[in-house]
C-alpha cells in the first residue's frame, strides 16, 4: 500500500465559499479517485482524477461544482465550489497501485458548511 | 447493475467473542473482487480483507476471515476474539474492473468490554 495524506483533515466553511482539498501520495500510483461520504451514508464516487487531463465524473457530479486537478502521479486536488450545507460531508481520496485491484484511502477531509 | 447490500445496520459483540457481518451483492460477472473495509471514528477507511472471486478458498487475515459463497452471492466477514479496537463501521465493497467500486451501506460494530 501507500501513505496517503489529505489536508485539511477538517474545516468549517461559510456558505458560498470554495475549499480545495489536497491529496498527496508517497509513491506513484496508477489511479486516483475522489469519494464523498455524506453523514451516516456510504461512499459515493465523485470522479476519477486523470493525470494531465480532465477528470472523469460520475453521474450527478459536474466539473463546475467539483473541479479536480492531477498534475502528476502522486498529487491531486478536489475543490468544492460555492458550498452549501448539503455539501457537508467527508471527502476521501483513494488510490490504486500499479499492481493489484485494491484501492486505499486517505484519512478523509471532514467539511462542515454553515 | 451491481449492488451491495448489508442488512445489519448495527451489530454488537462481547470482547473476545466472535461476530459475523453479512454482505450480499448482485452481479452478472463471473470474475470480480470483494472487500471489507473498516472505518473507525478517525474516519480513515482501512482495508481489512479482500477476496478474488475465482479463488474458492476463503481469505483470512489473522482474526478476520470471510465466508465467500459465490453461487449465493454472499460475502460475510467473521471477526474472532473481538477486541475493543475492532469497534468501527464496516463496509463491504465489490469491484469488477478494479476502478469502479460499489460500497454497501455499512454495519456499525460495537464491542462490549
Amino acid at each position: 500500500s501507500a501513505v496517503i495524506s489529505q489536508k485539511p483533515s477538517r474545516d468549517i466553511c461559510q456558505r458560498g465559499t470554495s475549499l480545495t482539498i489536497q491529496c498527496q501520495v508517497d509513491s506513484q500510483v496508477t489511479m486516483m479517485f475522489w469519494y464523498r461520504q455524506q453523514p451516516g451514508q456510504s461512499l459515493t464516487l465523485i470522479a476519477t482524477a486523470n493525470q494531465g487531463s480532465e477528470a472523469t465524473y460520475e453521474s450527478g457530479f459536474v466539473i463546475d461544482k467539483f473541479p479536480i486537478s492531477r498534475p502528476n502521479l502522486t498529487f491531486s486536488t478536489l475543490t468544492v465550489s460555492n458550498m452549501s450545507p448539503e455539501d457537508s460531508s467527508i471527502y476521501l481520496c483513494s488510490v490504486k497501485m500499479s499492481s493489484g485491484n485494491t484501492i486505499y484511502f486517505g484519512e478523509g477531509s471532514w467539511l462542515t458548511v454553515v | 447493475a451491481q449492488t451491495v447490500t448489508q442488512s445489519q445496520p448495527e451489530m454488537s459483540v462481547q470482547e473476545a467473542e466472535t461476530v459475523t457481518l453479512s454482505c450480499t451483492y448482485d452481479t452478472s460477472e463471473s470474475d470480480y473482487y470483494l472487500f471489507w473495509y473498516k472505518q473507525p471514528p478517525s474516519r480513515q477507511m482501512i482495508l481489512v480483507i479482500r477476496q478474488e472471486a475465482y479463488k474458492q478458498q476463503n481469505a483470512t487475515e489473522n482474526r478476520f476471515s470471510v465466508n465467500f459463497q459465490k453461487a449465493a452471492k454472499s460475502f460475510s466477514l467473521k471477526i474472532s476474539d473481538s477486541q475493543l479496537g475492532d469497534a468501527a463501521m464496516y463496509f463491504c465493497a465489490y469491484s469488477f474492473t478494479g476502478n469502479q467500486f460499489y460500497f454497501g451501506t455499512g454495519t456499525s460494530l460495537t464491542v462490549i468490554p
Side-chain angles (χ1 to χ4, degrees):
Chain A
S1 63
V3 176
I4 307 165
S5 302
Q6 267 186 252
K7 58 181 180 181
S9 61
R10 180 188 291 245
D11 208 341
I12 299 174
C13 308
Q14 294 295 320
R15 183 194 301 251
T17 63
S18 299
L19 183 82
T20 296
I21 304 167
Q22 298 180 358
C23 179
Q24 178 74 56
V25 192
D26 69 345
S27 58
Q28 293 185 352
V29 296
T30 305
M31 310 284 289
M32 295 184 78
F33 309 93
W34 287 98
Y35 282 83
R36 181 175 73 181
Q37 186 180 22
Q38 295 178 300
Q41 304 292 317
S42 186
L43 282 72
T44 302
L45 180 64
I46 298 171
T48 301
N50 300 310
Q51 192 258 327
S53 64
E54 189 173 293
T56 304
Y57 289 85
E58 297 299 307
S59 175
F61 298 96
V62 296
I63 188 171
D64 289 346
K65 177 66 175 176
F66 298 101
I68 289 170
S69 77
R70 189 181 173 193
N72 55 51
L73 293 176
T74 64
F75 184 78
S76 178
T77 66
L78 167 73
T79 299
V80 186
S81 303
N82 187 26
M83 285 185 284
S84 67
E86 292 71 34
D87 295 320
S88 297
S89 295
I90 299 171
Y91 292 86
L92 294 138
C93 171
S94 73
V95 305
K96 189 172 93 164
M97 312 302 290
S98 58
S99 61
N101 288 286
T102 302
I103 58 173
Y104 301 92
F105 289 86
E107 311 101 320
S109 299
W110 191 348
L111 303 188
T112 302
V113 185
V114 297
Chain B
Q2 288 86 359
T3 59
V4 178
T5 302
Q6 294 179 248
S7 58
Q8 307 155 314
E10 297 177 348
M11 292 282 285
S12 61
V13 62
Q14 292 281 348
E15 194 175 4
E17 297 295 308
T18 296
V19 65
T20 299
L21 308 184
S22 301
C23 174
T24 59
Y25 58 94
D26 185 28
T27 183
S28 58
E29 305 296 337
S30 60
D31 201 9
Y32 48 86
Y33 304 85
L34 296 164
F35 307 84
W36 279 98
Y37 285 89
K38 166 185 176 181
Q39 187 178 40
S42 65
R43 304 190 310 275
Q44 183 167 13
M45 294 280 286
I46 302 166
L47 176 68
V48 175
I49 199 166
R50 57 171 274 170
Q51 173 84 41
E52 291 91 345
Y54 67 86
K55 290 186 177 178
Q56 295 186 350
Q57 186 172 8
N58 290 322
T60 62
E61 286 288 341
N62 300 314
R63 298 183 294 107
F64 298 88
S65 62
V66 300
N67 183 4
F68 174 47
Q69 302 289 329
K70 191 172 184 179
K73 297 180 182 176
S74 171
F75 182 61
S76 60
L77 173 70
K78 186 171 81 171
I79 306 173
S80 304
D81 185 26
S82 297
Q83 301 175 359
L84 295 178
D86 295 333
M89 198 76 170
Y90 286 81
F91 290 94
C92 177
Y94 159 97
S95 179
F96 164 55
T97 64
N99 296 334
Q100 176 68 280
F101 279 65
Y102 299 88
F103 288 84
T105 51
T107 297
S108 178
L109 179 66
T110 300
V111 180
I112 303 167

